[in-house]
Each structure stands twice: as C-alpha cells, then as structure tokens.
Amino acid sequence: MAIAATVNLGLVLFDLSYVPWRDFYLRKLPQIIKIYDPIKGIEAHRDTKSYLEAVDALEEQVNQTGLQSPQVNGRLIQISRLSSEMIDSNPFAGVNKSGTLEKIKNRMRDRIGNESAKQSFATFWSQPYLSQKGWDQENNFFNQRIRPLIASNYYRQIGESGEFVNDFWMIDLPFVILFGIELLGHTFLIRRQHPGFSWLEAVLWRWYDLFLLLPFWRWLRIIPVLVRLDQAQLLNLHSVRKQVNQGIVANFAEELTEIVVVRVINQVQGSIQQGELTRWLSQQENLRPYIDINNVNEVEAIAGLLVKTIVYEVLPNIQPAIIAILRHNIETVFDQIPVYRNLQNLPGLGQAQTQLSEQLATQITTNLYKTLVSAVQDPVGAKLTSQLVQSFSDALGAEIKEKHVLSEIQSLLFDFLEEIKLNYVQRLSQEDIDQIIEQTRQLRTQVSVPAVVNKGATLPEIRQG
C-alpha cells in the first residue's frame, strides 16, 4: 500500500506539473503530449494551427512552382496578413503564454532589424527579401526559431463549472477506491480492538489517510505517503520527525508558557479575592489531612541539616573573617572614647590596644561558637528552640487573623502577583525555547542510571514502596 500510495502521488505531481512543463514535453517527449493532452482538455489553437498550415502550404508551393511564381506571392501575402492578425489578437493570452508571443516578435525584429514586429513579419514574408537572403536559409530560421514557439500554443477547453477541463479523476478514481476500502478495513479493525470508540474516532485514528480520498488539494497526499513509507521502513524519517516536532513545540511553547503561568496566577488571585486565605487560616482543622509518605517532617529535617552544616562546616571556615570584623569594631569604639585617645599617646599603649582588641574579638567569637554548638547538641536547648519557633508561629498566625492585617496582606499579595505577571511572565516566554528543547532531547537520549537514594534505595524500589 505504501508503494501504491507513492505511485499515486507521482501521478498527482505529474498532473499538477503537466501544464507548466508542457513545452518541455513537446520538445523532448512528444508522445506524452499525444496521450495526455486529451486528459487535460488541450487541443491545438485554431489561429496558430492555421498559421503553421499556411507556412506548410507555402513550402509545398515553393517546391512545385519556385519562389518567384504568382502562387507563392499570394501565399506570402496570406501569411503576412495572418502574422498581423496574430500580433493583434494574441491567441497565446488564453493560456497565459503571452510571453511566448513576445519572444516570437523579438526574434523576428532581431532577424529583420526593424523595431516594428508587424513590419518585420511583412518584410520576412515577401519575395524580395526571401530572394535576397535565400529561401532555404530563411525557411530553416523559421522552422528552428519561430515554428516551435508558435506550435507550443494551444487551446484548453472550459467546462460548465467555468474551470479548465481536467479528466485526471478517471486515472485517480481506482486509487481512491483502493484507499477508501483500506481505510474502511482499518476503521473496522480499530473498532473491534477498541469497542469504546465511535466510528468517527476510529476513522480519525488514521487521520492522515483521509488526504488520499480528497478530490482537491491532491498535493497534500505527500503527508500519508511519507507516513506510510516510514511505517513500511522504506524511508527513514526519524530526523525529519524530530525537526518537525521541535518546530511545532518552539512555535507553541512561548504562548503556552504565558497561558499556563498567567492562568495559575489568576487562579491564586481569584482564591485570595474569594476569601479562601481567610477560611484557611480560620478553619485549618477542617482541611484535608496532609499526606505523609515517610513519617518524616521534611521541613524540620532540612532546617536541622542546614543548621548543622552552618555550625560544624561553615562557621569554622569563616571564623577569621568574623574575628577581623569584631576587632575593627572594637577598635572603632575605643577610638571614640576621649580618655582612651589620651592614654594612647603614652609609650607602649598603642600595641597594647591592638592586642586587647584581638583578644576580645577572638574570645567573643569563640564563646558564641561554643554557645551555638552546645545549643545544637543539647536536647533541652533544641526543645526550647522548637517551642520558641512554635510560639512565634502561633503568635504570628493569631495576629495575621486580625481583620485589618489579613485584608492588607490579601491586597498586597494580589498586587504582588499582578506585578509578577507584568514583569516576569514575558521573560519566561522569551527564554530560548530551542535550547530548552535540545536539553530535553539530550535527557531522553542519555542512558538512564538508577539513582541511589537514602541507604542504597534505588528509584524502582522507592516507587514500589
């Protein structure tokens, strides 16, 4: 079926290109002209056909009676008159070949050396000119340079619909019937495999095959042909599909980004305006219970991990910098005391000031660090800290529930979200979509390695859990 669809597409493309390429077929493959002209409703134009027949009669008359005979002169007068009529009536215009007539006129002007096409034809078809230049030479010029252009003109029949006659449907009909039967068969099988599908849904399962049945826009059949060739593994279109998908995603990603983000913000704003924030604060006990999957308070765990990292890892590394800052501040305080500034003039007290400032800064930093370490390690201290945080949270929640505070918070939140839409959503949509698509493709093509999470548990094990 893929090969049959390809053959049909080839015939469609030939039919679409036949009229523009008819001159080429006329010169190189005249047998095709005889076969396919009737299908396109093409026949010889009466005026140009009569013109060439008159020239053929002239050639026969010259062979019988010679160039200087009265009979030849009469035929030359007839051809000269037909030339003038051809220029005036332009029989080439009916099939959009006026350019061919202009080419004929230009070649005749160049041959005679006259700016007037009619006078050039009149001179060419005259006994004095043909006698002077030679009948055989000028006749060969006409047959090689002028006759093919005149012969390329044609008349195309017009149907009752007002369009040009085209009987290609008779060639296309057997293929359409074949593709229609195949589509019905596939639709029947799809409905048997998916009983919940309607007939329309089953047909749309292979939507691309519908292009094979259209009597118009036949060039769209290239879509099902490419799909079928790819399915039959006669043509590898993986790279093409990838580029098409990337182009489609790139075209819609910007708009989708804006739509999704703006819609989320609008929903949050709508919830704030409808008072859902107030109901949430006043009825927390009635909300749906929070789902915990590992019996661990992740917020507390993360906070504890951060505190330990800061106390045991970060603070020891930055302790010299803290000491330097405290020493500078202590020295600044000493300098502001008038009595101390007077004592500083005594010999040896300047160096003593520096040592004292450094000792104070070091002692303060060391004591603070020990206090933090003991607070982290002391269970009672940790419990008191947790109670402090809980009390602070309860007090803050109680104050927030006050009507004027809550109203102001709602207003500020609403305005803040509106500013996010105006300032940042456009940046999201303007991000380099092609780069994002490329990164996504690289993620899909990389070899997936099982991630080790929490005591050697792999991702499949976590999902099963």
Side-chain angles (χ1 to χ4, degrees), residues 5 74 80 86 92 126 146 210 215 259 266 271 351 372 395 427 439 445:
S80 180
M86 180 176 67
F92 297 83
S126 63
I146 305 298
L210 295 176
I259 292 172
N266 288 340
S271 299
Q351 184 177 1
L372 289 174
R427 293 185 189 177
Q439 293 173 358
T445 55

Side-chain angles (χ1 to χ4, degrees), residues 302-365:
I302 293 173
L305 181 60
L306 289 176
V307 170
K308 291 180 180 179
T309 302
I310 293 173
V311 172
Y312 293 116
E313 303 294 338
V314 177
L315 290 180
N317 293 330
I318 66 174
Q319 187 172 359
I322 297 175
I323 292 174
I325 293 174
L326 289 176
R327 186 180 64 188
H328 171 72
N329 291 329
I330 291 171
E331 291 177 351
T332 301
V333 173
F334 282 159
D335 290 339
Q336 293 176 355
I337 301 175
V339 176
Y340 185 79
R341 284 201 302 269
N342 296 329
L343 293 174
Q344 202 173 21
N345 296 326
L346 297 177
L349 288 181
Q351 184 177 1
Q353 175 206 353
T354 303
Q355 294 177 354
L356 178 62
S357 300
E358 185 171 356
Q359 290 177 0
L360 286 174
T362 303
Q363 191 66 30
I364 293 173
T365 304

Side-chain angles (χ1 to χ4, degrees), residues 9 61 78 122 175 275 298 326 408:
L9 178 62
Q61 190 66 50
Q78 177 191 9
F175 289 96
E298 287 81 3
L326 289 176
E408 187 172 356

Side-chain angles (χ1 to χ4, degrees), residues 55-169:
V55 174
D56 292 337
L58 173 64
E59 292 178 354
E60 184 178 354
Q61 190 66 50
V62 170
N63 292 332
Q64 292 178 358
T65 61
L67 182 60
Q68 300 299 327
S69 64
Q71 295 86 350
V72 169
N73 187 52
R75 294 195 179 277
L76 288 172
I77 294 174
Q78 177 191 9
I79 297 174
S80 180
R81 176 179 55 80
L82 292 176
S83 300
S84 180
E85 292 177 356
M86 180 176 67
I87 294 173
D88 290 335
S89 62
N90 187 10
F92 297 83
V95 288
N96 297 322
K97 292 177 66 68
S98 296
T100 302
L101 178 59
E102 292 300 319
K103 189 181 295 185
I104 293 171
K105 291 157 62 175
N106 289 333
R107 290 182 179 181
M108 189 60 70
R109 291 189 188 105
D110 294 339
R111 187 68 175 181
I112 302 301
N114 193 320
E115 293 297 327
S116 173
K118 291 184 178 180
Q119 292 179 6
S120 297
F121 271 102
T123 301
F124 184 85
W125 297 117
S126 63
Q127 285 180 330
Y129 176 80
L130 295 175
S131 299
Q132 179 184 358
K133 298 295 183 178
W135 162 254
D136 292 335
Q137 177 180 335
E138 297 306 306
N139 189 42
N140 290 334
F141 162 76
F142 178 84
N143 290 330
Q144 294 174 6
R145 303 284 293 169
I146 305 298
R147 179 185 287 270
L149 297 177
I150 298 176
S152 67
N153 188 40
Y154 59 87
Y155 170 77
R156 191 170 180 187
Q157 300 175 15
I158 299 178
E160 295 180 356
S161 63
E163 302 292 335
F164 289 123
V165 171
N166 187 2
D167 293 332
F168 176 74
W169 65 270

